[in-house]
Amino acid sequence: MNDVRTVTEADFDDWQRALAVGFTDPPVIAREQLDARRKKFVPGRYLGVVDDGRWVATLRSFEQELTVVGGGVVPADAISGVTVSPTHRRRGMLSRMMAQDLAAARERGDVVATLIAAEYPIYGRFGFGPATWASRWTVETRRAGLDPRWSGPDDGGRIELLDAEEVRKLGPELYDRFRLGRPGAISRSELWWQEYTGALRTQAEFKEPTYALYRAARGEVQGLVSYASDRTWSGKQPDQTANVFKLFGTTPAAERGLWHYLCSIDWVSRVDSGYRAPDDLLPLCLPDPRAARITEHGDWLWVRVLDVVRALEARTYDREGALVLEIEDEAGFAAGRYRLDASPSGASCTPTTASADLTLDARELASVWLGGESLLRLAALGRVREEREGAARQADALFRSPGLPWCPDMF
């Protein structure tokens, strides 16, 4: 059995090539890309397996903050770059890497672990559950019903075009204001902003998008979008799609203004929204919401609870309630029986020996923790067991959040 190894600086290039093989990318990586990726390297956070002198499995993690219901944040172990070479499947390598990483995360004091699952069936067995979802819309601009003569927001705000350097200057503070108001949003590092704007080229190709911001009448920056056109023409007629990469606003007016701006660009017949929250404002920003058609919908951010007490106490609750939860967890991180006493003024969670009201696995706890999944639905599916009649309905009302959680980033 090949043991899990911690990657050293000397191993980095070979580990990156194994990562490329696992993701079916070309195994030859340009030196400038390797050097750019090396800036992300943190000793002790890159793991892998070596067989006969070759890296055949990879996993890395990094520090992250995750916003919870109510605007608090918890430290998270963000997991990425998980691969096993096709020649070494079904040998337990992923299980060993995951066990080592999660144990280290719990030891560091991380409340949860997070990841974006490339394949649905893989991560449930490690205690992860889908905690946010994403939808994607295509807007037919000619059907949207917006004023084709629109030249800017009618609320005194304005749209301004930016270059990459200005985005790196204004974006981080704006995003930090945004993410504290959205459960499921994650922190962005300085390196993230450099990669997003092309200052750090970790991929073979980078095509700089157009950046636009929304500035309120009083001068405050409240929204930012990046997008690019596919430059399609049909005969002699422009028939282009504006593809949105990132769009966020700290106010509804900012979001409405940016969507209206995108839908009013000359030559643009369609707007591809990118991945948005399922309850996004976009369709209802349009006089004819049917002009926005959902083209994709699915799970997005997956969460694994490592510390039940801190996780349940970190978020807020809109009503009073007390529940005893029996959490089943084969790995042991979240296993136990806990009493949650919640109210709008705060919450306490303590281990208890009292009889359980509900029994659920760590996977289901992760799915309901940010308020995006219904405990009643999970109970109907047999994935939550009601030990006291009416407990599932009570818990569902307690855990729901005012809006659906959303993670705007891939990692």
Side-chain angles (χ1 to χ4, degrees):
M1 182 173 69
N2 303 95
D3 292 332
V4 175
R5 286 173 44 176
T6 301
V7 179
T8 67
E9 292 231 22
D11 299 321
F12 185 81
D13 290 1
D14 290 336
W15 185 94
Q16 286 286 339
R17 294 185 183 100
L19 176 71
V21 169
F23 282 147
T24 67
D25 292 329
V28 178
I29 306 171
R31 170 49 53 191
E32 55 266 32
Q33 293 168 44
L34 289 170
D35 291 343
R37 295 179 190 185
R38 191 180 292 271
K39 293 181 181 295
K40 298 181 178 181
F41 180 72
V42 177
R45 301 296 291 261
Y46 283 58
L47 304 177
V49 178
V50 175
D51 184 37
D52 196 22
R54 181 185 295 273
W55 290 91
V56 294
T58 65
L59 181 151
R60 77 175 183 96
S61 67
F62 57 93
E63 292 183 0
Q64 186 182 81
E65 285 185 345
L66 174 65
T67 303
V68 300
V69 179
V73 297
V74 297
D77 175 53
I79 297 173
S80 185
V82 181
T83 75
V84 176
S85 295
T87 53
H88 286 71
R89 300 168 67 243
R90 304 293 185 264
R91 303 187 191 184
M93 293 179 181
L94 173 57
S95 296
R96 296 197 297 277
M97 291 190 299
M98 190 66 72
Q100 182 167 317
D101 182 82
L102 293 177
R106 177 62 189 266
E107 183 67 23
R108 282 193 305 268
D110 291 331
V111 173
V112 297
T114 61
L115 55 81
I116 306 291
E119 296 184 66
Y120 195 100
I122 294 175
Y123 293 100
R125 68 180 188 269
F126 303 116
F128 287 85
T132 79
W133 290 258
S135 299
R136 187 171 194 154
W137 282 268
T138 296
V139 179
E140 299 292 338
T141 60
R142 297 185 181 97
R143 288 190 53 198
L146 296 168
D147 184 353
R149 299 167 298 176
W150 186 83
S151 60
D154 56 8
D155 57 4
R158 63 183 186 272
I159 306 296
E160 301 174 9
L161 297 178
L162 301 182
D163 61 26
E165 184 177 353
E166 291 172 305
V167 172
R168 290 192 292 272
K169 179 181 178 181
L170 297 174
E173 188 275 334
L174 171 64
Y175 178 75
D176 281 343
R177 281 191 281 125
F178 161 78
R179 73 179 173 100
L180 295 181
R182 191 82 201 204
I186 56 178
S187 54
R188 293 175 176 176
S189 67
E190 181 181 352
L191 288 176
W192 186 96
W193 286 99
Q194 291 180 16
E195 191 170 7
Y196 170 59
T197 56
L200 186 67
R201 304 291 180 93
T202 60
Q203 303 301 323
E205 292 185 6
F206 175 81
K207 296 181 180 179
E208 185 160 327
T210 300
Y211 306 100
L213 67 78
Y214 172 92
R215 192 183 296 273
R218 61 183 181 272
E220 182 184 33
V221 176
Q222 294 184 345
L224 181 66
V225 63
S226 58
Y227 65 95
S229 169
D230 64 1
R231 299 179 58 81
T232 300
W233 285 65
S234 178
K236 295 292 291 181
Q237 296 295 322
D239 188 28
Q240 299 186 7
T241 299
N243 297 292
V244 175
F245 303 128
K246 301 290 181 185
L247 186 153
F248 63 93
T250 58
T251 65
E255 290 194 21
R256 289 196 304 268
L258 289 172
W259 288 123
H260 201 161
Y261 162 74
L262 291 165
C263 290
S264 69
I265 298 173
D266 289 339
W267 297 1
V268 168
S269 303
R270 286 166 299 280
V271 174
D272 180 336
S273 72
Y275 294 107
R276 311 292 303 167
D279 60 349
D280 197 83
L281 297 178
L282 172 58
L284 299 182
C285 289
L286 309 175
D288 185 353
R290 293 183 183 180
R293 174 172 52 89
I294 289 182
T295 52
E296 287 187 64
H297 174 80
D299 56 281
W300 196 254
L301 183 75
W302 288 55
V303 167
R304 205 277 187 231
V305 176
L306 298 171
D307 188 325
V308 174
V309 171
R310 290 169 65 200
L312 294 185
E313 289 183 346
R315 57 158 290 170
T316 61
Y317 303 85
D318 283 347
R319 62 183 65 201
E320 291 188 6
L323 287 167
V324 176
L325 305 174
E326 179 81 30
I327 309 300
E328 297 176 339
D329 184 0
E330 186 175 342
F333 298 114
R337 190 174 297 173
Y338 304 88
R339 177 182 173 90
L340 172 65
D341 290 280
S343 75
S345 61
S348 68
C349 180
T350 55
T352 183
T353 58
S355 298
D357 297 315
L358 291 174
T359 298
L360 63 161
D361 191 86
R363 298 184 298 268
E364 279 61 56
L365 176 64
S367 290
V368 302
W369 174 56
L370 292 178
E373 181 55 273
S374 163
L375 273 155
L376 279 173
R377 288 211 317 170
L378 295 178
L381 293 167
R383 291 161 56 184
V384 171
R385 187 167 69 249
E386 194 173 58
E387 310 292 358
R388 173 178 60 81
E389 186 176 356
R393 181 173 295 278
Q394 177 193 359
D396 186 69
L398 195 63
F399 273 84
R400 284 304 187 105
S401 62
L404 291 177
W406 176 50
C407 177
D409 292 334
M410 171 80 74
F411 58 92

